[in-house]
Protein backbone atom coordinates (compact mmCIF):
# COMPACT_ATOMS: atom_id res chain seq x y z
CA UNK A 1 0.00 0.00 0.00
CA UNK A 2 1.33 3.42 -0.98
CA UNK A 3 1.84 5.90 1.86
CA UNK A 4 -0.39 8.95 1.44
CA UNK A 5 -0.23 12.50 2.79
CA UNK A 6 -3.04 15.01 2.23
CA UNK A 7 -2.32 18.58 1.20
CA UNK A 8 -5.21 20.76 2.31
CA UNK A 9 -5.44 23.82 0.10
CA UNK A 10 -6.79 25.40 -3.05
CA UNK A 11 -4.11 24.91 -5.69
CA UNK A 12 -3.68 27.90 -7.97
CA UNK A 13 -1.10 27.51 -10.76
CA UNK A 14 -0.47 31.27 -10.72
CA UNK A 15 1.39 31.02 -7.40
CA UNK A 16 4.97 29.81 -7.76
CA UNK A 17 5.14 29.10 -4.03
CA UNK A 18 2.65 26.26 -4.53
CA UNK A 19 4.75 24.85 -7.35
CA UNK A 20 7.69 24.95 -4.95
CA UNK A 21 5.65 22.95 -2.45
CA UNK A 22 4.99 20.36 -5.15
CA UNK A 23 8.70 20.30 -6.02
CA UNK A 24 9.51 19.60 -2.37
CA UNK A 25 7.14 16.61 -2.33
CA UNK A 26 9.04 15.04 -5.20
CA UNK A 27 12.41 15.84 -3.65
CA UNK A 28 11.50 14.27 -0.31
CA UNK A 29 10.53 11.01 -1.99
CA UNK A 30 13.91 10.81 -3.68
CA UNK A 31 15.65 11.72 -0.44
CA UNK A 32 13.82 9.08 1.59
CA UNK A 33 13.80 6.59 -1.31
CA UNK A 34 10.13 5.99 -0.58
CA UNK A 35 7.06 6.34 -2.76
CA UNK A 36 4.58 8.74 -1.16
CA UNK A 37 1.31 9.94 -2.66
CA UNK A 38 0.81 13.64 -1.94
CA UNK A 39 -2.72 14.67 -2.89
CA UNK A 40 -4.11 18.18 -3.00
CA UNK A 41 -7.64 18.24 -1.61
CA UNK A 42 -9.59 21.52 -2.03
CA UNK A 43 -10.74 23.21 1.15
CA UNK A 44 -14.42 23.07 0.15
CA UNK A 45 -14.29 19.30 -0.48
CA UNK A 46 -12.16 18.13 2.46
CA UNK A 47 -13.86 15.58 4.73
CA UNK A 48 -11.64 14.49 7.61
CA UNK A 49 -13.34 11.17 8.29
CA UNK A 50 -13.16 10.18 4.63
CA UNK A 51 -9.56 11.38 4.27
CA UNK A 52 -8.13 9.82 7.40
CA UNK A 53 -10.44 6.95 8.31
CA UNK A 54 -11.50 5.65 4.90
CA UNK A 55 -8.66 6.70 2.61
CA UNK A 56 -5.95 6.25 5.25
CA UNK A 57 -3.93 9.40 4.70
CA UNK A 58 -1.15 9.51 7.28
CA UNK A 59 -0.51 13.21 7.59
CA UNK A 60 -1.93 16.67 6.89
CA UNK A 61 0.01 19.46 5.20
CA UNK A 62 -1.96 22.72 5.29
CA UNK A 63 -0.80 24.69 2.31
CA UNK A 64 -0.35 28.44 1.84
CA UNK A 65 -2.91 30.28 -0.24
CA UNK A 66 -5.44 32.02 2.01
CA UNK A 67 -8.12 33.22 1.89
CA UNK A 68 -9.26 29.64 1.42
CA UNK A 69 -12.45 28.76 -0.46
CA UNK A 70 -13.91 27.32 2.76
CA UNK A 71 -12.30 28.66 5.92
CA UNK A 72 -14.71 26.85 8.25
CA UNK A 73 -13.91 23.52 6.62
CA UNK A 74 -10.19 24.19 7.09
CA UNK A 75 -10.79 24.85 10.78
CA UNK A 76 -12.74 21.58 11.06
CA UNK A 77 -9.89 19.65 9.44
CA UNK A 78 -7.33 21.23 11.77
CA UNK A 79 -9.45 20.41 14.82
CA UNK A 80 -9.79 16.78 13.70
CA UNK A 81 -6.04 16.44 13.10
CA UNK A 82 -5.18 18.06 16.43
CA UNK A 83 -7.60 15.96 18.45
CA UNK A 84 -6.76 12.69 16.69
CA UNK A 85 -2.97 13.15 16.82
CA UNK A 86 -2.51 13.21 13.05
CA UNK A 87 0.90 14.64 12.10
CA UNK A 88 0.22 18.15 10.85
CA UNK A 89 2.38 20.83 9.25
CA UNK A 90 0.93 24.22 8.34
CA UNK A 91 2.72 27.03 6.53
CA UNK A 92 1.71 30.65 5.97
CA UNK A 93 -2.11 30.38 5.73
CA UNK A 94 -1.83 27.02 7.44
CA UNK A 95 -0.01 28.60 10.38
CA UNK A 96 -2.62 31.34 10.59
CA UNK A 97 -5.62 29.01 10.61
CA UNK A 98 -4.05 26.56 13.05
CA UNK A 99 -3.79 29.46 15.50
CA UNK A 100 -7.40 30.49 14.89
CA UNK A 101 -8.64 26.92 15.43
CA UNK A 102 -6.65 26.62 18.65
CA UNK A 103 -7.96 29.97 19.88
CA UNK A 104 -11.56 28.97 19.23
CA UNK A 105 -11.59 25.38 20.45
CA UNK A 106 -8.91 25.37 23.16
CA UNK A 107 -8.74 28.95 24.43
CA UNK A 108 -12.45 29.62 24.16
CA UNK A 109 -12.11 32.72 21.97
CA UNK A 110 -15.24 31.94 19.97
CA UNK A 111 -14.95 34.96 17.68
CA UNK A 112 -11.29 34.42 16.80
CA UNK A 113 -10.83 35.74 13.28
CA UNK A 114 -8.48 36.58 10.42
CA UNK A 115 -8.18 40.23 9.38
CA UNK A 116 -7.98 39.26 5.71
CA UNK A 117 -11.46 37.67 5.94
CA UNK A 118 -13.28 39.66 8.64
CA UNK A 119 -11.32 42.88 9.24
CA UNK A 120 -13.95 44.33 11.59
CA UNK A 121 -13.90 41.41 14.03
CA UNK A 122 -13.12 42.36 17.67
CA UNK A 123 -10.93 39.23 18.07
CA UNK A 124 -8.32 39.34 15.31
CA UNK A 125 -5.91 36.52 16.17
CA UNK A 126 -4.32 37.05 12.77
CA UNK A 127 -3.61 40.64 11.79
CA UNK A 128 -2.06 42.45 8.86
CA UNK A 129 1.70 42.74 9.25
CA UNK A 130 3.21 46.19 9.64
CA UNK A 131 5.55 45.28 6.79
CA UNK A 132 4.57 42.75 4.15
CA UNK A 133 6.68 39.60 3.92
CA UNK A 134 5.77 38.82 0.31
CA UNK A 135 8.98 37.62 -1.28
CA UNK A 136 10.97 38.50 1.84
CA UNK A 137 13.55 36.67 3.93
CA UNK A 138 14.36 36.89 7.64
CA UNK A 139 16.82 35.54 10.14
CA UNK A 140 15.00 33.87 13.01
CA UNK A 141 16.11 32.81 16.47
CA UNK A 142 14.89 29.56 18.03
CA UNK A 143 13.49 30.42 21.46
CA UNK A 144 13.66 27.05 23.19
CA UNK A 145 16.33 24.40 22.75
CA UNK A 146 13.92 21.84 24.19
CA UNK A 147 11.45 22.51 21.39
CA UNK A 148 10.65 20.09 18.60
CA UNK A 149 11.72 22.77 16.13
CA UNK A 150 15.20 22.99 17.64
CA UNK A 151 15.44 19.21 17.78
CA UNK A 152 14.68 19.08 14.05
CA UNK A 153 16.89 21.95 12.93
CA UNK A 154 19.72 21.52 15.45
CA UNK A 155 20.51 25.22 15.32
CA UNK A 156 19.61 28.37 17.25
CA UNK A 157 19.21 30.36 14.04
CA UNK A 158 17.52 29.81 10.71
CA UNK A 159 16.90 31.59 7.44
CA UNK A 160 13.19 31.86 6.68
CA UNK A 161 11.48 32.79 3.41
CA UNK A 162 7.94 34.09 3.13
CA UNK A 163 5.11 35.05 0.84
CA UNK A 164 2.52 36.57 3.16
CA UNK A 165 1.09 39.78 4.59
CA UNK A 166 -0.63 38.51 7.77
CA UNK A 167 0.74 37.14 11.02
CA UNK A 168 0.11 36.48 14.69
CA UNK A 169 -1.46 39.21 16.81
CA UNK A 170 0.92 39.31 19.80
CA UNK A 171 -1.91 40.59 21.99
CA UNK A 172 -2.96 36.93 22.37
CA UNK A 173 0.43 35.45 23.22
CA UNK A 174 -0.27 34.81 26.89
CA UNK A 175 -3.58 33.00 26.46
CA UNK A 176 -2.24 30.87 23.60
CA UNK A 177 0.85 29.94 25.57
CA UNK A 178 -1.02 29.22 28.80
CA UNK A 179 -3.25 26.78 26.92
CA UNK A 180 -0.38 24.81 25.42
CA UNK A 181 0.63 26.55 22.20
CA UNK A 182 4.39 27.00 22.38
CA UNK A 183 5.89 29.82 20.30
CA UNK A 184 9.22 28.60 19.00
CA UNK A 185 10.91 31.24 16.85
CA UNK A 186 11.16 35.01 16.71
CA UNK A 187 12.38 37.55 14.17
CA UNK A 188 15.04 40.17 14.81
CA UNK A 189 12.31 42.80 15.23
CA UNK A 190 10.45 40.70 17.81
CA UNK A 191 7.70 38.95 15.85
CA UNK A 192 6.82 35.29 16.41
CA UNK A 193 7.01 33.08 13.33
CA UNK A 194 6.34 29.49 14.43
CA UNK A 195 4.65 27.38 17.07
CA UNK A 196 4.12 23.79 18.13
CA UNK A 197 2.05 21.69 20.51
CA UNK A 198 4.58 19.62 22.39
CA UNK A 199 2.05 17.03 23.58
CA UNK A 200 1.12 16.20 19.98
CA UNK A 201 3.19 13.75 17.86
CA UNK A 202 3.71 16.53 15.27
CA UNK A 203 1.68 19.72 15.20
CA UNK A 204 3.84 22.55 13.89
CA UNK A 205 2.91 25.80 12.19
CA UNK A 206 5.31 28.22 10.50
CA UNK A 207 4.54 31.58 8.98
CA UNK A 208 7.53 30.97 6.73
CA UNK A 209 7.39 28.40 3.97
CA UNK A 210 10.00 25.61 4.29
CA UNK A 211 9.36 24.59 0.68
CA UNK A 212 11.00 27.87 -0.38
CA UNK A 213 14.31 26.87 1.22
CA UNK A 214 14.09 23.21 0.23
CA UNK A 215 16.27 21.87 -2.61
CA UNK A 216 16.74 18.58 -4.43
CA UNK A 217 20.08 18.04 -2.74
CA UNK A 218 18.95 19.24 0.68
CA UNK A 219 15.24 18.95 1.40
CA UNK A 220 14.19 21.22 4.25
CA UNK A 221 14.66 19.44 7.62
CA UNK A 222 11.18 20.43 8.76
CA UNK A 223 9.62 18.73 5.75
CA UNK A 224 11.77 15.66 6.31
CA UNK A 225 10.71 15.43 9.96
CA UNK A 226 7.04 15.92 9.13
CA UNK A 227 7.02 13.24 6.44
CA UNK A 228 8.98 10.75 8.56
CA UNK A 229 6.56 11.23 11.44
CA UNK A 230 3.57 10.84 9.16
CA UNK A 231 4.92 7.60 7.69
CA UNK A 232 5.16 6.17 11.20
CA UNK A 233 1.56 7.17 11.94
Amino acid sequence: MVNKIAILGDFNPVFQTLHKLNDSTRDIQKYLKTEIQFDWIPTDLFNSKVVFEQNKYKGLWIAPGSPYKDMNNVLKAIKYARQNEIPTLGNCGGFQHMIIEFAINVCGIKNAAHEEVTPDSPELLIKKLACSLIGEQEQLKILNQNSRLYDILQTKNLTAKYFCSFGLNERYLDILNSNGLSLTSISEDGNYRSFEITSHPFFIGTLFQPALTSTKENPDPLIIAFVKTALKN
Side-chain angles (χ1 to χ4, degrees):
M1 181 180 293
V2 176
N3 294 306
K4 298 191 293 184
I5 292 176
I7 302 174
L8 174 58
D10 304 308
F11 184 81
N12 186 335
V14 171
F15 297 115
Q16 289 301 311
T17 54
L18 303 186
H19 289 287
K20 283 290 292 179
L21 190 154
N22 281 343
D23 290 343
S24 72
T25 66
R26 290 185 283 270
D27 296 340
I28 193 65
Q29 291 179 75
K30 293 178 182 177
Y31 178 84
L32 296 176
K33 298 178 181 178
T34 302
E35 183 181 357
I36 308 164
Q37 184 176 318
F38 289 89
D39 290 332
W40 281 83
I41 304 176
T43 62
D44 56 344
L45 299 179
F46 199 95
N47 182 310
S48 296
K49 288 191 175 182
V50 171
V51 170
F52 299 115
E53 296 178 20
Q54 295 183 25
N55 294 331
K56 307 299 182 184
Y57 283 83
K58 295 190 169 188
L60 179 64
W61 192 344
I62 310 168
S66 66
Y68 298 120
K69 287 181 183 178
D70 192 331
M71 177 177 176
N72 287 332
N73 211 28
V74 171
L75 297 178
K76 288 179 183 177
I78 294 169
K79 180 180 179 181
Y80 185 96
R82 178 178 56 78
Q83 292 183 332
N84 289 276
E85 298 193 339
I86 293 166
T88 302
L89 174 65
N91 311 133
C92 193
F95 164 95
Q96 296 160 10
H97 287 76
M98 289 165 81
I99 287 175
I100 292 171
E101 187 280 325
F102 189 88
I104 293 171
N105 296 308
V106 180
C107 301
I109 308 172
K110 298 304 179 184
N111 295 317
H114 193 305
E115 188 171 4
E116 185 177 29
V117 180
T118 51
D120 296 327
S121 171
E123 301 281 11
L124 291 175
L125 269 288
I126 301 300
K127 66 177 183 178
K128 190 169 185 178
L129 297 170
C131 296
S132 172
L133 289 172
I134 292 177
E136 296 297 325
Q137 176 174 302
E138 286 184 323
Q139 297 301 311
L140 303 182
K141 179 181 178 181
I142 305 297
L143 293 169
N144 183 356
Q145 292 188 38
N146 293 319
S147 67
R148 183 73 181 271
L149 185 66
Y150 180 83
D151 185 57
I152 291 168
L153 300 179
Q154 289 295 301
T155 179
K156 295 180 182 178
N157 304 288
L158 72 145
T159 300
K161 292 186 177 182
Y162 303 85
F163 201 87
C164 68
S165 297
F166 296 85
L168 173 64
N169 186 343
E170 283 83 5
R171 168 186 164 192
Y172 295 94
L173 286 176
D174 289 343
I175 189 170
L176 292 170
N177 188 62
S178 65
N179 279 281
L181 196 77
S182 177
L183 283 301
T184 53
S185 68
I186 193 169
S187 66
E188 292 177 336
D189 54 357
N191 295 301
Y192 295 88
R193 303 305 194 201
S194 62
F195 69 82
E196 61 189 53
I197 296 178
T198 55
S199 59
H200 194 283
F202 194 105
F203 197 87
I204 293 178
T206 66
L207 192 62
F208 56 89
Q209 298 186 36
L212 299 181
T213 49
S214 193
T215 66
K216 290 182 180 180
E217 297 76 20
N218 296 294
D220 189 277
L222 194 55
I223 298 174
I224 294 173
F226 162 64
V227 172
K228 283 185 173 181
T229 305
L231 296 187
K232 293 176 183 177
N233 183 32

